[in-house]
Each structure stands twice: as C-alpha cells, then as structure tokens.
Amino acid sequence: MKPRKLPIRKWKSIRKALLRLAIPALFVTASWAASPPQLNNQTPRVSRYAGKLAYDLNRQHPNAMIDVIVQFKETPRAIHYQRMLSHGAVLRTKLHSIQAAAFRIPVSALAMLEKDPDVLYVTPDRPVSMQNSYEDFASAVEADVAAQQYGLDGTGIGVAVIDSGIADHADFHIAGGNRVVHSESFVAGDSTTKDVYGHGTHVSGIIGGNGSASGAGTGYAQQIAGMAPNVNLINLRVLDQNGAGTDSQVIAAIQRAIALKTQYNIRVINLSLGRPVFESYTLDPLDQAVEQAWAAGIVVVVAAGNNGRDDSMHTRGFGTIGSPGNDPAVITVAATRTMGTATRADDSIASYSSKGPTLLDHIVKPDVVAPGNRIGSLLVKNSTLDTEFPTLEIAPSGTCTGTCATQYFRLSGTSMATPVVTGAVALMLQKDPTLTPDTVKARIMKTAWKGFGVYCKSFDVFNNEFDNQYDLFTYGAGYLDVDAALANTDVANGVALSPTASYNAANNTVTIVNTSSVTWGTSVVWGNSVVWGNSVVWGNSLLSANSVVWGNSVVWGNTVDQGFSVVWGNSVVWGTSTATSAYSDGQDGEN
C-alpha cells in the first residue's frame, strides 16, 4: 500500500512520480547518497470524456450552487484557494491526498475552471452510501476447496508481518490467548507496536484472521476470514502513523525475523511494501536482506507495487516492479480483480499492478498473481486509514445479538494480494514442514492457473480506461491455485530464481533464460517448460510480432525511444514527467 521518508509517503517530486502509488503496496524509501533527479508533480489523466469537466456535472442552471471536487495538477496552495474564492467558490474540504479539494461553486464558474491551466479535472461531489460490498478471494484461488479437502488452517506456522503493526482484534483471539505471539517496533523514536496507520492489521487479517467478529449474531451476512485462520503472527512494525519507513527499519526487522525463526517457527515473511529500484538487486540493501532470510529457510513474499498505470517513461507500465520485489529469489505478487464473482474465469489484472521486467537486471516479474482489489479484512478503528477513508468500512447490515460493531475494512493494491499468497504458503508448510523456500516457490508457480484470455480492460474511479494483455511480465506464471499447489509433490533441486528476460536487437525478440538451476528431475522448470510454455505470451492465442508489447513498440522496439532505455538500458532513466493516473490512497480500487 503506501510507499515512502525518504519516507515513503510523499517525496516531493520523485516520490509522487515514481511511487505515488500505493495504498496497497506500501513503499519504503532509501536514503539518498545524492539529491534525487527531480520530476514535476503533474499527473495527467486521460478521461473517457473530453475536457476537464466530468460528463455528469449539472450545468443546466448557471446561477445554481453545486458541490464539486476539483483536482489540481499539484497539491493546491493558497493561490489556488484564492482563485477559487474569486470564482464564488466556498471551500468545504481539503483533499490533499489526491491533490484536490471539495468546493461549493456556482454553475457559471465551471467554464472558468475548464480554462484554468492548474485544474486537472472537475467532478460532482457524488453521493456515496456506506459501502458494504467487497470482493471475496478464497474461491478465486481455490482456497475454499483446499480447506475442505485438506483441513489446513496454518496451525504451528509463524508468519512475520513487517508492516505498520498489528492491532488487537477479536479475529486474532483464541481460547488460549492471542495468536499475535510477538510484537516489536523498529520505527525510530516510537516503541509502540500498535497499528496506528491501519495497514498491517488489514494485511494480517488476510493472512490469518479467523472471522470470529463476523460470525453468527454479529450482523455480518458472511464470515470474513483469512487464508490460514490459525497461524501465529509475529508483529514487526516498521511503518509509522503515516505509512512511512526506511530501508534500515525494514532490514532490521528482517534480521529480527531470522533471529526469532526457531523460537516462533517463522517460516514466512510478508512484505506488503517496497520502493523504486535504484540499482541492481545484487547491490540493493533491501534485496540483500531478503536473500538472507531466504537462505535461512524463510519464504519471503513481496508486493510487486502499484505503478502499473505509470506511463511517464513511455513504458506502458512495464519496468515498474519495486524493490525488494525485484529480487529473483523472492515470490513477487501482482494483483487481480475478482469482479465480484466466485469464479476466477472472469478475473483480470488490476491496472495499477506493477509489471516487469525489473529495471537494470531484467528479471521476469511478477511471479504470480492473486486477488488484491477491494479486499475485505480487519479494521483498526480511528487509524489513519480509517479516519481518511471511512467510506471503506464494511459495516454490519443484518441481525445481531447485542451491539453491532463495524470490524472490517476494504483496501486495494498488491499489498492485499501479497498476504493471500503468504497465507497459501503457510498452508503448504503446515501440510509438509520439510519444504524448502525454493520448492514452495516452484510449486506455486508450476501449478498456477493459466486459463486467461488475451486482453482485458478496466476503469478507475475517475472513469479512465486502462488496457492490459496477458503476458508474463504482467501475470507471471499465472493465478495462484492453492488446491493445486497443495496437491503437487514435485521437489525442486537447486534454487528457484525467477528467470531473466533477454532482448535480441537483431530480430526484435525477447527470450527467457534460466537464472537458476532448478529442475524437476529431468525437466527444466523455467524456459520452454510447463511453467512458461514456448512463448512469453500465453492464453487462448499468441500476440503478433508487431503488437504493442512485443513488436515495434515504445518498450522494446525502437532503441532510441525513452521507454526502451528505461526497460532495457543499463541505467535507470527518470525522464521529465510523472505517472499517468497514478494509484493513490484515496482510490477505492477499480471497476
């Protein structure tokens, strides 16, 4: 979810440009050895409708007053508010998280707003009811089938959640006490382990909430539970009340997880956070830390990032995987939309989900996809996220015994998809504690469902359209299938490093080469195998050589294009513009 202090939350220019994305893939920033290259803060959006004014604005009565939300090209300053007042506007609410503010204005002011060079887009302040809808993820990844067939719940497995903390919640309680068995803070100057921000608890609920607060008599129509509802949780807090942290805090927490491995049987680390890539994974300190955990026998599951809409470098969102998700050892997770149905057949990628290959090293990422859009999980009442976005609460609406209390919340992003995979890993390790991290990763990727089509589209809350296609830099090995992963008995011989993409300028082709030596007996896992097939594009049909992704495109076709330099060059190119329709904390997933 939220990246960024140098903290991660809001760098002034480059932070907004490269990272602005998260409520769901929380990104931590590294300290700079030198001043970062500067990007401007403009975040242009391409609306489905021409102009700056939303199509459903009431323009019939020029003298009438209407409530609107005005988005600016930068966080509004005093000069912007003064200009609005001169148009007869009355300020209602500052909405700086989306570079906007809510006003009551005369209809006659709309024409002036459309001509204002600092105004990005104007919408009605549309009526919103308390939203109780959310997308269920269990059936999409076959977790419900796995639970019925294997009866696994994560018992005995320890999962380290390195995030904003874990609050006390009924869904973590058991007869013998609390399943949050250890709590520690690595936030500088703040020893509290409570989740003031509200992100870590939501993530932890997806991993291991038992759903007791949504059981019979609570007013909830169905139980909202996590993937491994009896797993033990180790709370290692690295993000403050604003979702901000640093590399050093995360690294210290990873080191602590390794040290506590034996005491709490820590077999999995969940990292629903990250930051941009600044150097090769072989030098990046975050990558080095996750590799140490992996070598210690702990599976590390990392969010891909939420920069998939970023076309600022003309890469169509490719090359936007964050660190440490760029490390070939870890399991990097992208986010899908379940479309509100129980079947996965109609699911598609969330447009904000970051795509590979990784910058500099060209590692094929993400490794797998899982549901991450509008996921229901645990609420921390009065936390930063709850205070800023109360409409995302999932309130009880049915009959209850006693007082019905709101206990759940919905969030979107690769931060939500990551704990779905983490929970699946916990189930696999409960079933067979002898599994190595490499075998876990290889089984998950080999058994991932690949029944996608070729293209999909989605619309964000601003009605912007985003088009995607089913290539392995978007979907990795495919859709997490918990039932299939639990049924698989193959053993990986060697290390399960994600493969590397290689660009051949002579014939304009991209090939996949082994980064590691994993084999299933005599069959190679990566390359031309059951995992990847004979093409980097799979589904019902293959894309043509001159398609927007693989052929003469801005990403890999023309070597003089900026996009080509960003993805396939030997150094990071920052460019001069920012992300298009960047995903931010204020957005409730996508439609």
Side-chain angles (χ1 to χ4, degrees), residues 367 438 441-442 445-446 477 495-499 512-518 520 523-532:
D367 296 299
D438 294 290
K441 178 179 178 180
M445 295 181 72
K446 182 177 182 179
V495 292
L497 299 180
S498 303
I512 305 305
V513 297
N514 239 345
T515 310
S516 63
S517 57
V518 182
W520 305 98
S523 173
V524 178
V525 174
W526 317 130
N528 296 327
S529 71
V530 293
V531 173
W532 301 115

Side-chain angles (χ1 to χ4, degrees), residues 151-489:
L152 300 170
D153 59 7
T155 298
I157 302 299
V159 176
V161 180
I162 298 177
D163 212 290
S164 62
I166 303 178
D168 185 31
H169 195 284
D171 282 14
F172 297 139
H173 294 178
I174 53 176
N178 196 318
R179 288 184 293 112
V180 182
V181 296
H182 179 89
S183 293
E184 193 169 346
S185 175
F186 298 87
V187 177
D190 187 353
S191 61
T192 181
T193 58
K194 295 180 180 180
D195 186 7
V196 185
Y197 185 55
H199 183 269
T201 305
H202 192 276
V203 165
S204 299
I206 297 171
I207 296 169
N210 63 20
S212 63
S214 54
T218 63
Y220 285 96
Q222 65 185 72
Q223 199 168 42
I224 303 174
M227 294 287 294
N230 202 40
V231 75
N232 289 328
L233 298 166
I234 293 80
N235 171 22
L236 303 178
R237 181 177 179 241
V238 299
L239 302 172
D240 64 16
Q241 71 276 10
N242 297 314
T246 63
D247 275 8
S248 60
Q249 291 168 190
V250 175
I251 293 169
I254 293 173
Q255 291 177 166
R256 188 65 171 144
I258 296 172
L260 295 172
K261 177 177 182 287
T262 301
Q263 182 177 352
Y264 295 111
N265 193 31
I266 297 175
R267 302 297 306 276
V268 198
I269 289 175
N270 188 94
L271 288 169
S272 291
L273 49 76
R275 57 149 169 77
V277 171
F278 296 103
E279 60 271 312
S280 167
Y281 74 86
T282 61
L283 297 173
D284 190 315
L286 276 182
D287 289 309
Q288 296 308 297
V290 296
E291 288 183 10
Q292 289 299 311
W294 195 272
I298 301 175
V299 179
V300 183
V301 189
V302 186
N306 299 322
N307 288 300
R309 297 175 183 169
D310 187 350
D311 194 36
S312 61
M313 307 303 160
H314 309 294
T315 65
R316 301 181 185 272
F318 290 92
T320 56
I321 299 291
S323 171
N326 65 324
D327 194 282
V330 303
I331 301 174
T332 303
V333 186
T336 61
R337 300 176 293 139
T338 69
M339 312 303 290
T341 65
T343 176
R344 63 189 174 190
D346 61 348
D347 293 6
S348 61
I349 200 72
S351 66
Y352 48 77
S353 188
S354 288
K355 307 171 189 176
T358 66
L359 290 180
L360 304 178
D361 301 300
H362 307 145
I363 304 300
V364 177
K365 291 285 184 175
D367 296 299
V368 69
V369 300
N373 194 62
R374 296 173 178 165
I375 300 299
S377 186
L378 309 186
L379 167 70
V380 182
K381 194 66 179 174
N382 298 319
S383 64
T384 300
L385 291 178
D386 180 45
T387 301
E388 291 185 1
F389 311 111
T391 57
L392 300 185
E393 290 185 356
I394 304 172
S397 57
T399 303
C400 60
T401 303
T403 302
C404 287
T406 300
Q407 299 277 4
Y408 300 93
F409 196 65
R410 75 167 184 249
L411 292 174
S412 301
T414 58
S415 280
M416 281 59 257
T418 301
V420 174
V421 175
T422 293
V425 171
L427 299 179
M428 294 173 68
L429 290 168
Q430 180 190 3
K431 182 173 182 287
D432 185 355
T434 68
L435 297 182
T436 66
D438 294 290
T439 292
V440 168
K441 178 179 178 180
R443 286 185 182 182
I444 283 177
M445 295 181 72
K446 182 177 182 179
T447 60
W449 183 72
K450 301 171 177 62
F452 298 105
V454 176
Y455 301 104
C456 70
K457 65 173 57 180
S458 60
F459 297 94
D460 67 10
V461 295
F462 301 105
N463 288 318
N464 301 311
E465 180 178 327
F466 298 92
D467 298 317
N468 283 289
Q469 51 196 8
Y470 295 87
D471 56 80
L472 67 81
F473 296 129
T474 302
Y475 284 81
Y479 211 134
L480 173 68
D481 189 324
V482 181
D483 186 46
L486 289 171
N488 187 272
T489 57

